[in-house]
Amino acid sequence: MTASSKDVPVGLPLWLMAVAAPLLWGTTYAVTQAFLAGVDPFWLATLRIVVPGVMMVWLVPLAVWRRHWLNIVVLSALNIGIFTVLLFGAIQRLPGGMAATLTASMPLQLLLLRALQGRLPAPLQLLAAVGGMAGVGLLVWQAPAEPDWTGVALALAAAFCMALGVLLMPVLGRGIKPLVLASAQLFSAGVVLLLLMLLWGRPFPALDTQGVLALVWLGPVGMGLGYYLWFRAITLIAVDKLAFMGLINPVVAVLAGVLVMGELMNISQAFAIALVLFCVLLAQHPAAQRHLSAARVS
């Protein structure tokens, strides 16, 4: 798929595919709290990556490893490996809502990275990025009396890694099929994280039947299928539009908490969900793409 093909209007089936990944990822909180409470979060993060990686590695031809190994290592580090380490490091230091709000800065950071490339964002996109981050903050924010600034830095760094990974995907992932690319990245990042956990010496968690089934949902389904759909969407949708789909993740997390965990939702959270969804739609407005096209011509 060439870059110019991303200027073609995107149909509903493709948007549904793009939305599916954050929908799957957004269930992580409720599934973890309901069926994996007390499991070491670092082992949980490792297993949900290494399990689908090992299951899918056979899909990666040896020729792809030989020809693209460096690109795969870079992308797997940014999209999965380093991102996961930074995110869980932030979660250990910050309330979950604060970490989610800071990582929701990913679309804004991506727009800033593109601006450094000379591709200035449209005013609508900036408004959507700021509004979306504000909406996530209103939805899940839990401000501590004195924030842990190391945790803040880790959360912002995690968002930067994801933004950079999304930006580099069309370049470093060129010529690799999305399913192959997802498999290679999950396997590479999973093996590295597994080695780190073994060297760290943290005890392997004991899982009951429900825990194993929950891990299947979080790993092969959430990470395996989720990342395949995400990488597939990146090849077909402009990254400055696709990045905003990630804002749906915390919305799904809150709704899943209501449906699965019996949590209550207040009026401000309902307004926040509406604001986030409005900003996601605003970022897809044709005026934004027209602005970018005009900027490239000038």
Side-chain angles (χ1 to χ4, degrees):
M1 184 66 65
T2 61
S4 60
S5 66
K6 295 185 180 183
D7 297 328
V8 178
V10 178
L12 180 60
L14 182 54
W15 282 122
L16 292 176
M17 181 182 71
V19 170
L23 285 177
L24 289 172
W25 297 335
T27 64
T28 300
Y29 169 80
V31 172
T32 300
Q33 291 297 314
F35 306 109
L36 294 166
V39 176
D40 187 329
F42 291 100
W43 264 116
L44 182 58
T46 300
L47 291 174
R48 68 193 291 254
I49 294 171
V50 74
V51 170
V54 171
M55 293 174 62
M56 298 167 66
V57 68
W58 65 273
L59 296 169
V60 187
L62 290 178
V64 171
W65 290 114
R66 288 195 295 264
R67 190 177 308 159
H68 302 287
W69 69 269
L70 182 57
N71 290 359
I72 291 172
V73 168
V74 172
L75 289 175
S76 68
L78 292 173
N79 288 319
I80 303 175
I82 296 177
F83 169 76
T84 298
V85 171
L86 292 173
L87 178 61
F88 274 82
I91 291 174
Q92 290 289 312
R93 292 174 172 270
L94 299 173
M98 188 176 186
T101 303
L102 293 171
T103 53
S105 67
M106 190 272 279
L108 182 60
Q109 293 199 43
L110 185 138
L111 293 179
L112 294 175
L113 287 172
R114 287 173 67 84
L116 293 176
Q117 295 179 315
R119 305 183 69 177
L120 299 179
L124 282 181
Q125 288 182 311
L126 285 175
L127 179 62
V130 175
M133 186 175 175
V136 172
L138 182 61
L139 182 64
V140 298
W141 183 271
Q142 304 167 30
E146 179 64 33
D148 185 318
W149 293 109
T150 300
V152 170
L154 291 173
L156 291 174
F160 175 79
C161 279
M162 177 173 280
L164 186 58
V166 169
L167 191 63
L168 291 177
M169 274 289 296
V171 179
L172 298 183
R174 184 181 295 123
I176 309 176
K177 294 180 179 179
L179 182 57
V180 173
L181 187 57
S183 304
Q185 289 190 60
L186 286 168
F187 179 76
S188 300
V191 168
V192 172
L193 289 175
L194 180 60
L195 290 175
L196 289 176
M197 291 300 296
L198 293 175
L199 290 174
W200 195 356
R202 297 180 75 93
F204 190 84
L207 299 175
D208 57 15
T209 302
Q210 286 189 332
V212 172
L213 293 176
L215 189 60
V216 169
W217 174 261
L218 295 179
V221 178
M223 297 296 286
L225 178 60
Y227 267 106
Y228 161 66
L229 294 173
W230 185 250
F231 294 153
R232 174 66 174 161
I234 287 176
T235 67
L236 300 170
I237 301 175
V239 294
D240 50 1
K241 290 177 175 288
L242 183 66
F244 286 86
M245 295 298 175
L247 295 175
I248 298 174
N249 190 332
V251 171
V252 176
V254 171
L255 293 177
V258 172
L259 297 174
V260 178
M261 305 295 294
E263 297 175 353
L264 299 178
M265 181 186 300
N266 55 41
I267 296 299
S268 65
Q269 287 180 311
F271 171 77
I273 289 175
L275 176 60
V276 171
L277 296 179
F278 172 76
C279 289
V280 172
L281 293 175
L282 183 64
Q284 319 306 319
H285 195 282
Q289 199 66 16
R290 287 197 296 270
H291 174 91
L292 287 171
S293 299
R296 286 195 293 267
V297 171
S298 62

